[in-house]
Amino acid sequence: MLEGKTAVVTGASRGIGRAIALELAEQGAQVIINYNGSCENAGKVKQEIEAKGGKAETIPCNVGDFEQCAELIGGVIKTFGSIDILVNNAGITRDGLLMKMSEKDFDDVLAVNLKGAFNTMRAAARQMIKQRSGRIINMSSVVGICGNAGQVNYAASKAGVIGVTKSAAKELASRGITVNAVAPGFVETEMTAVLSDKVKEEAVRQIPLGRFGKPEDIAKTVAFLASEEAGYITGQVIQVDGGMAV
């Protein structure tokens, strides 16, 4: 259980982020729901948590902006006194073949998916070091492990998250802070809902368990990594992909 813990979940207004926020709150954490685009959706997640007796706040922040991340984390620490769990879930896609991908599409994806994780981790690490405790969970992807045609930017960002995770785990371990990554495969979200039936069928054929994952599958893995039971796990990449990248 996560009673008394303060958790920040970036990109928590929908999809996997929403499921993570709900799961952490279910286990007793006070959850800060970060969002950038949809205040309305973030508010709905807050209402869902509070309807079940949990505690939540919504805070806007573009994680790709270094100063905004410092303000986000600083505000959480000032208001709640600590930051115990940081989940870097915010992410975007700008898919396209290598020869047609624009510089902007490449840069935008890395700014949010990779630099965003660095921004929040750097801001949170100082407080976690003072506390001599903390859990950082970064969202990577099976694409960051295997690559995927049409996603050189996304794959690069998610592979980078793995490198950041492993390096930070070594730096912060002596202060009681664990840093791990979760690498989802195909998950039933708005992002995969737009795929054609043909693409979905081909994807399922690559998954030994024969189905897409659910956001809750990812959320429960994150909640475990945030728990005391996972205190001896750090620097790891947990693949939640139905066996796709075996």
Side-chain angles (χ1 to χ4, degrees):
M1 299 293 286
L2 302 173
E3 293 289 344
K5 303 294 186 181
T6 298
V8 174
V9 183
T10 69
S13 65
R14 60 181 182 173
I16 292 173
R18 170 184 170 276
I20 292 170
L22 291 171
E23 181 65 28
L24 295 181
E26 181 76 18
Q27 297 203 21
Q30 178 169 254
V31 180
I32 287 77
I33 302 160
N34 160 252
Y35 67 94
N36 186 36
S38 179
C39 177
E40 182 180 356
N41 286 343
K44 289 179 180 178
V45 178
K46 181 177 185 291
Q47 290 173 4
E48 285 185 74
I49 290 172
E50 292 177 337
K52 295 180 179 179
K55 298 179 181 179
E57 298 293 339
T58 61
I59 302 180
C61 172
N62 173 8
V63 298
D65 186 298
F66 185 83
E67 294 300 330
Q68 285 190 39
C69 287
E71 291 176 8
L72 167 66
I73 300 301
V76 170
I77 294 167
K78 183 177 180 180
T79 302
F80 303 104
S82 69
I83 175 169
D84 305 294
I85 302 161
L86 171 64
V87 183
N88 282 307
N89 168 77
I92 62 171
T93 58
R94 298 286 187 273
D95 294 351
L97 295 175
L98 172 65
M99 297 304 296
K100 295 183 178 180
M101 184 174 291
S102 69
E103 180 182 17
K104 185 176 188 306
D105 283 347
F106 188 88
D107 289 348
D108 285 351
V109 169
L110 265 71
V112 174
N113 299 6
L114 179 55
K115 186 169 181 285
F118 162 78
N119 289 343
T120 57
M121 287 172 66
R122 186 182 186 279
R126 186 180 300 274
Q127 176 64 27
M128 289 183 173
I129 288 170
K130 288 180 181 178
Q131 297 169 183
R132 300 192 69 83
S133 67
R135 297 281 189 269
I136 299 174
I137 300 107
N138 297 321
M139 203 58 57
S140 181
S141 169
V142 67
V143 172
I145 297 169
C146 300
N148 194 36
Q151 290 191 306
V152 293
N153 49 2
Y154 188 75
S157 70
K158 294 304 186 178
V161 164
I162 292 173
V164 165
T165 297
K166 290 181 176 292
S167 297
K170 291 185 175 183
E171 291 185 19
L172 300 175
S174 65
R175 303 303 179 93
I177 303 163
T178 66
V179 189
N180 292 289
V182 175
F186 284 97
V187 179
E188 294 175 359
T189 63
E190 292 179 17
M191 191 179 295
T192 57
V194 300
L195 299 175
S196 69
D197 289 341
K198 181 179 179 181
V199 170
K200 289 179 181 178
E201 290 170 5
E202 290 176 354
V204 167
R205 281 198 292 269
Q206 299 175 48
I207 304 170
L209 284 181
R211 65 172 178 85
F212 279 20
K214 297 182 181 300
E216 292 74 19
D217 294 324
I218 313 303
K220 290 191 179 297
T221 303
V222 170
F224 169 69
L225 291 173
S227 71
E228 292 300 319
E229 286 79 3
Y232 199 57
I233 300 172
T234 195
Q236 302 305 304
V237 182
I238 311 298
Q239 296 172 211
V240 188
D241 61 5
M244 181 179 175
V246 169

